[in-house]
């Protein structure tokens, strides 16, 4: 395709008559270059329009494109200089929708001929006559845009002057319109082929009964060796054969559909959930460790218990295996399968599994959350992951939140139950301290000057023993200045004495340490605490962010934003899992975000990779970082 277009440019050059480099040729060549180099119809047409409007001395240019019906056109592109009268003129044209269009455009559609000096008075402009006068528009130029066989649309330019524009520009218009028509047809055909190919690919990779991925797609997913820890689940519907025998295959199919649908709802967008055989399902879960795999497996098993079907109850058995980065996914799946069959033999409706690399001592999978706490406090393995807090406007990373990851927990496994177990066991202060020490220490490997957001439990915050001095000592041993530290206050319900709180916060603030109120809008967060803490940052809780289209959440979000405006706090939306949520937050007036869609929790050594990934991810173009403004927290 491209070479053909280049050939066209070549011919245009050769055809050039007297006066090489004349204005007419320059315009044609500029337009051809645009068509030749563009893969984006919208961008190319907008640029072309701007260029031609200027060349023809127009106030505004428009491209009307044909819809389905031969006589219908629609205003699709306009070059507006943003002046209010021009915008009003443009809006009036857009408001016409798909139809005959204004008379001077529909005339071109009917006759196939344009006009170099159409008057804009009277019926030619229809309802736009008065707005045209307000915008100082007195004449119009129209050109047909022809495709290979039929008219594609109409180019219209509206001008202040009634004198014909520069003749060179006019002379090049037939050529430009010819190529423009071909370009639009080519791009439309390419887009249609692309869409058809996408649909075919989706069909080829989808299980028709459940809408999940099929076996082929699952096999394909397993061919890539993951660079991060991952888990595989192997699932089986209990007693499907009996249902098929007693109730018929239609009932069996219905059951599989319901099971598939339920499983599909329990995985994240980037997980691969597939139906891999008659009654067998499998899932590949990136960045999930032993504890996450167990959690998901159990959630899936339990979800079946709440399904009400006419044929009776549904039960599944789940085998899981969690593996480190670099393990062969196929062998990990086999290991999950072995666990599945063990669990089946034990009677079904249960989960079983193991870490792929069974430890020398007991398998970590057998550890309870309180065992995990005990191990950490005994000096067992603990790492910290850092999740970026990102500007939703330009993608710049403003700082990182430290998140504890004990052995067996991958980036996206929740450590919430570990902290809960420590609370119940009265070990929260100790656990909190060990995690913070590790977080500050590992943060040395973050990019220079990065701000560090540290979670702090209420017990530790209000405890005079683990006070300011101890934190300062810790920071100085890691060469970190207190001005780069933000403490995140969670467990709002545990903070009752606001006088003590005020004293403690003042002592930290005197050293330059700032505060964030974590998970605002979740659990028992109170307005009192909002006011009493005067936090520099307010973090909108994930459940609020994720439901921000609901009226209640919206109201809570607006109240928080209003409070932030008055108090001067910066608002950070948590749980930004995708671009859609990012856009919603931005539209709602939130400038900062954190979430898997903006950057997953990562080891300190890898955080720069996150910033690069962000800059390269086209899907998040609106969030692309312009520069690594790490640490600038303004
Ligand atoms: P948090 O401070 O609100 O941390 C955010 C949690 O949300 C993290 O879970 C993070 O992995 C998760 N998250 C981030 N983005 C997304 C997203 O887009 N979608 C979803 N679904 N989740 C997202 P994590 O690491 O499991 O931490 C849970 C809680 O445990 C934290 O909530 C914090 O209260 C506490 N915690 C974690 N590490 C520490 C620590 O070192 N010290 C203390 N005191 N508490 C910690
Ligand atoms: Mg937090
Ligand atoms: Mg939070």
């Amino acid at each position: 395709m491209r070479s053909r277009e280049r050939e066209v440019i070549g011919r245009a050059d050769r055809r050039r008559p007297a006066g090489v480099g004349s204005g007419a040729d320059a315009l044609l060549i500029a337009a051809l270059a645009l068509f030749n180099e563009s893969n984006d119809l919208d961008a190319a047409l907008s640029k072309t329009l701007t260029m031609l409007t200027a060349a023809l001395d127009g106030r505004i240019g428009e491209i009307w494109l044909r819809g389905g019906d031969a006589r219908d056109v629609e205003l699709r592109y306009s070059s507006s200089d943003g002046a209010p009268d021009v915008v009003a003129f443009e809006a009036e044209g857009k408001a016409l929708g798909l139809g005959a269009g204004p008379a001077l455009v529909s005339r071109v559609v009917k006759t196939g001929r344009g006009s170099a000096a159409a008057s804009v008075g009277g019926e030619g402009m229809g309802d736009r006559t008065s707005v045209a006068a307000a915008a100082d528009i007195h004449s119009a130029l129209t050109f047909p845009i022809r495709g290979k066989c039929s008219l594609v649309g109409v180019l219209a330019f509206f001008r202040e002057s009634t004198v014909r524009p520069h003749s060179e520009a006019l002379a090049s218009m037939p050529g430009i319109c010819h190529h423009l028509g071909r370009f639009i047809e080519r791009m439309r055909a390419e887009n249609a082929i692309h869409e058809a190919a996408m649909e075919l690919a989706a069909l080829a990779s989808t299980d028709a009964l459940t809408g999940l991925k099929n076996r082929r797609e699952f096999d394909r997913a397993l061919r890539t060796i993951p660079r991060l820890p991952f888990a595989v689940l192997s699932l089986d519907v209990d007693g499907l054969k009996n249902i098929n025998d007693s109730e018929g295959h239609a009932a069996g199919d219905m059951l599989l559909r319901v099971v598939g649908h339920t499983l599909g709802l329990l995985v994240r967008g980037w997980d691969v959930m597939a139906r891999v055989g008659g009654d067998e399902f499998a899932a590949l879960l990136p960045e999930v460790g032993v504890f996450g795999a167990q959690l998901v497996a159990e959630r899936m098993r339990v979800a079946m218990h709440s399904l009400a079907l006419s044929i009776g109850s549904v039960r599944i058995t789940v085998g899981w295996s969690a593996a480190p980065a670099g393990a062969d996914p196929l062998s990990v799946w086999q290991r999950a399968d072995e666990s599945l069959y063990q669990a089946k033999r034990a009677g079904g409706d249960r989960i079983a599994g193991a870490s792929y690399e069974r430890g020398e001592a007991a398998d970590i999978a057998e550890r309870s959350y309180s065992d995990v706490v005990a191990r950490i406090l005994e000096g067992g393995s603990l790492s910290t992951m850092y999740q970026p807090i990102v500007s939703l406007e330009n993608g710049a990373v403003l700082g990182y939140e430290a998140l504890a990851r004990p052995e067996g927990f991958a980036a996206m496994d929740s450590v919430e139950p570990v902290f809960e177990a420590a609370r119940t066991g009265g070990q929260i202060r100790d656990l909190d301290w060990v995690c913070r020490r590790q977080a500050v220490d590992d943060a040395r490997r973050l990019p220079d000057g990065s701000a560090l957001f540290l979670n702090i439990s209420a017990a530790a915050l209000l405890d005079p023993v683990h006070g300011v001095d101890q934190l300062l000592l810790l920071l100085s041993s890691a060469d970190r200045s207190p001005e780069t530290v933000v403490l995140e206050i969670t467990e709002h319900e545990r903070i009752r004495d606001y006088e003590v709180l005020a004293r403690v916060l003042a002592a930290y603030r005197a050293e330059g340490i700032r505060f964030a109120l974590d998970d605002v809008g979740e659990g028992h967060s109170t307005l009192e605490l909002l006011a009493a803490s005067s936090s520099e940052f307010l973090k909108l809780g994930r459940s609020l962010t994720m439901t921000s289209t609901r009226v209640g959440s919206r109201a809570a979000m607006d109240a928080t934003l209003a409070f932030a405006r008055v108090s001067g706090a910066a608002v950070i939306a948590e749980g930004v899992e995708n671009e859609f949520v990012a856009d919603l937050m931005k539209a709602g007036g939130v400038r900062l975000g954190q979430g898997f869609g903006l950057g997953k929790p990562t080891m300190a050594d890898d955080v720069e990779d996150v910033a690069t990934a962000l800059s390269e991810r086209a899907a998040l173009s609106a969030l692309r970082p312009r520069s690594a403004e790490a640490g600038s927290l303004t």
Side-chain angles (χ1 to χ4, degrees):
M1 205 63 81
R2 291 223 154 160
S3 57
R4 204 181 72 212
E5 290 293 337
R6 287 215 179 85
E7 170 62 9
V8 171
I9 293 178
R11 264 188 276 139
D13 275 331
R14 263 180 267 129
R15 246 190 351 219
R16 187 179 296 160
V20 176
S22 73
D25 275 357
L27 197 59
L28 176 64
I29 287 167
L32 281 171
L34 257 173
F35 305 152
N36 198 19
E37 284 160 23
S38 183
N39 283 320
D40 179 343
L41 183 66
D42 287 341
L45 293 196
S46 298
K47 277 190 198 157
T48 307
L49 200 55
T50 307
M51 181 175 80
L52 296 180
T53 310
L56 294 169
D57 196 18
R59 182 104 212 255
I60 180 164
E62 293 181 346
I63 297 179
W64 294 73
L65 291 183
R66 286 249 316 264
D69 190 294
R71 300 215 177 273
D72 283 351
V73 281
E74 189 178 17
L75 175 54
R76 296 291 298 279
Y77 303 89
S78 45
S79 69
S80 149
D81 60 11
D85 48 358
V86 171
V87 171
F89 180 77
E90 178 186 344
E92 204 63 60
K94 287 240 158 93
L96 290 175
L98 193 60
L104 60 83
V105 171
S106 63
R107 205 173 297 138
V108 185
V109 178
K110 270 187 220 148
T111 63
R113 286 205 310 275
S115 162
S119 152
V120 297
E123 57 170 29
M125 295 299 286
D127 289 348
R128 300 174 93 187
T129 311
S130 61
V131 272
D136 260 338
I137 285 167
H138 304 296
S139 77
L141 295 167
T142 52
F143 302 92
I145 308 171
R146 281 198 199 82
K148 215 165 182 173
C149 308
S150 60
L151 192 93
V152 174
V154 177
L155 257 174
F157 299 94
F158 300 95
R159 311 174 63 236
E160 209 172 321
S161 162
T162 48
V163 179
R164 278 169 75 96
H166 203 261
S167 63
E168 283 186 339
L170 266 186
S172 64
M173 285 309 290
I176 290 176
C177 287
H178 168 80
H179 290 292
L180 180 59
R182 295 298 167 90
F183 172 69
I184 293 172
E185 281 189 335
R186 169 168 72 87
M187 290 302 287
R188 283 179 169 176
E190 278 181 10
N191 288 344
I193 289 170
H194 181 69
E195 269 168 34
M198 298 281 283
E199 265 172 40
L200 270 178
L203 273 180
S205 63
T206 303
D207 170 53
L209 185 64
T210 60
L212 299 175
K213 300 283 184 234
N214 60 18
R215 171 67 191 256
R216 182 180 344 153
E217 189 61 14
F218 194 68
D219 285 342
R220 207 175 66 81
L222 293 191
R223 279 202 287 271
T224 312
I225 305 285
R227 287 173 49 218
L228 293 162
F230 65 99
V232 179
L233 308 184
S234 183
L235 309 93
D236 192 284
V237 181
D238 297 343
L240 183 74
K241 187 174 177 316
N242 294 343
I243 291 168
N244 273 334
D245 291 347
S246 61
E247 311 280 338
H249 281 274
D253 281 358
M254 184 269 289
L255 181 96
L256 286 170
R257 239 192 328 267
V258 174
V259 169
H261 184 68
T262 310
L263 295 176
L265 291 176
L266 292 173
V267 293
R268 307 157 304 173
W270 50 83
D271 295 328
V272 184
M273 184 78 236
R275 178 169 166 241
V276 291
D279 59 352
E280 289 165 32
F281 294 83
L284 174 66
L285 314 172
E287 293 178 75
V288 162
V290 166
F291 291 90
Q294 265 171 312
L295 215 64
V296 180
E298 181 62 6
R299 206 177 286 151
M300 289 175 168
R301 186 190 70 80
V302 170
M304 299 303 147
H305 285 238
S306 57
L307 292 179
L309 295 178
S310 57
I311 51 171
S313 57
V314 189
R315 298 289 180 262
I316 58 168
T317 302
V318 190
W320 60 266
S321 180
D328 169 30
L330 201 61
S331 332
V332 180
W333 187 19
Q334 277 160 7
R335 194 63 64 76
D337 244 9
E338 287 165 19
S339 294
L340 169 68
Y341 287 107
Q342 268 169 26
K344 276 260 176 207
R345 277 197 296 277
D349 187 24
R350 64 191 67 207
I351 70 166
S355 64
Y356 180 69
E357 280 186 339
R358 287 169 218 258
E360 282 173 12
D363 192 348
I364 26 180
E366 265 126 51
R367 283 178 211 161
S368 68
Y369 291 121
S370 41
D371 291 342
V372 173
V373 176
R375 284 225 172 205
I376 297 173
L377 297 184
E378 283 160 14
S381 150
L382 172 73
S383 52
T384 314
M385 289 208 168
Y386 298 87
Q387 188 177 29
I389 293 167
V390 174
S391 156
L392 295 174
E393 274 149 8
N394 62 18
V397 175
L398 302 185
Y400 295 89
E401 175 176 5
L403 297 164
R405 288 294 178 268
E407 190 183 5
F409 286 80
M412 284 187 285
D413 291 338
S414 175
V415 296
E416 206 97 52
V418 177
F419 283 91
E420 201 43 58
R423 252 173 237 124
T424 319
Q427 298 144 305
I428 185 68
R429 259 186 352 205
D430 295 338
L431 177 68
D432 184 88
W433 175 248
V434 173
C435 292
R436 195 157 44 258
R437 206 173 50 202
Q438 186 76 38
V440 170
D441 202 34
D442 287 351
R444 289 189 226 229
R445 290 181 278 125
L446 286 176
D448 281 347
S450 298
L452 181 61
F453 286 66
L454 296 168
N455 289 292
I456 185 161
S457 69
L461 180 67
L462 300 178
D463 175 7
V465 180
H466 292 89
V468 185
D469 293 344
Q470 205 163 358
L471 181 59
L472 289 179
L473 211 61
L474 177 61
L475 295 178
S476 86
S477 73
D479 290 331
R480 173 166 287 280
S481 113
E483 283 82 15
T484 64
V485 173
V486 180
L487 293 179
E488 296 196 3
I489 311 173
T490 25
E491 306 178 284
H492 305 171
E493 69 283 4
R494 283 167 208 266
I495 299 172
R496 294 193 195 91
D497 190 337
Y498 295 121
E499 274 179 30
V500 173
L501 178 76
R503 272 205 303 280
V504 171
L505 299 197
Y508 279 105
R509 284 201 173 103
E511 304 297 335
I513 292 170
R514 283 171 291 176
F515 289 87
L517 206 54
D518 208 351
D519 308 328
V520 173
E522 262 168 29
H524 298 87
S525 68
T526 63
L527 286 173
E528 254 173 314
L529 183 57
L530 207 62
S533 69
S534 307
S535 294
E536 286 83 354
F537 298 90
L538 301 178
K539 298 186 84 177
L540 285 176
R542 176 159 49 93
S543 52
L544 209 62
T545 312
M546 289 202 314
T547 57
S548 69
T549 49
R550 293 195 198 141
V551 179
S553 303
R554 185 70 238 177
M557 220 175 103
D558 288 346
T560 310
L561 281 162
F563 180 86
R565 261 193 304 279
V566 177
S567 68
V571 176
I572 302 168
E574 293 191 303
V576 178
E577 292 197 350
N578 52 48
E579 202 186 349
F580 175 69
V581 178
D583 286 345
L584 276 179
M585 290 298 114
K586 217 163 36 171
V590 181
R591 297 232 195 83
L592 299 167
Q594 179 181 357
F596 297 156
L598 299 165
K600 294 173 189 161
T602 343
M603 304 299 281
D605 289 324
D606 299 332
V607 294
E608 266 164 328
D609 276 1
V610 175
T612 317
L614 212 60
S615 71
E616 285 169 358
R617 215 176 315 159
L620 289 171
S621 55
L623 307 169
R624 212 176 287 162
R626 273 191 218 127
S627 61
E629 289 169 39
S632 70
L633 266 171
T634 45

